[in-house]
Amino acid sequence: MEDQDKYEAWHKDPKNWKFGVFYYNPEDKRTFPPKRIKQMGWTINFADAKSVVALVLFLIFVGWLILYTNFQTS
């Protein structure tokens, strides 16, 4: 099976979508696979540790940015 065909099969498998929203597939090593509706962009693979770390770091950065800008304007 070709990689692209394998990715398509995983993407269409409802067992890889928790609550229909969260992509969780330990076999898929992509950090950012496409969302269920591909035109909507990408999501993270919650089964991949790199993806979860990237999400946490992004949320920390956004939180820091919000706090930093609020303290600069006061």
Side-chain angles (χ1 to χ4, degrees), residues 1 4-28 30 33-38 43 45:
M1 182 182 271
Q4 193 61 32
D5 293 336
K6 184 170 41 173
Y7 292 150
E8 284 296 320
W10 285 341
H11 190 264
K12 291 178 182 176
D13 187 357
K15 289 184 253 172
N16 292 330
W17 294 93
K18 304 301 177 195
F19 306 109
V21 179
F22 302 107
Y23 186 72
Y24 187 92
N25 183 358
E27 294 180 54
D28 190 350
R30 295 178 296 176
K35 289 187 176 189
R36 274 193 117 158
I37 302 171
K38 292 182 181 181
T43 187
N45 181 1

Side-chain angles (χ1 to χ4, degrees), residues 12-71:
K12 291 178 182 176
D13 187 357
K15 289 184 253 172
N16 292 330
W17 294 93
K18 304 301 177 195
F19 306 109
V21 179
F22 302 107
Y23 186 72
Y24 187 92
N25 183 358
E27 294 180 54
D28 190 350
K29 298 303 176 198
R30 295 178 296 176
T31 304
F32 299 107
K35 289 187 176 189
R36 274 193 117 158
I37 302 171
K38 292 182 181 181
Q39 293 81 1
M40 298 292 289
W42 294 271
T43 187
I44 68 169
N45 181 1
F46 284 92
D48 182 29
K50 293 180 297 190
S51 300
V52 176
V53 168
L55 175 65
V56 169
L57 289 175
F58 176 73
L59 293 175
I60 289 171
F61 173 73
V62 169
W64 174 82
L65 196 60
I66 290 169
L67 290 174
Y68 180 75
T69 56
N70 282 339
F71 284 123

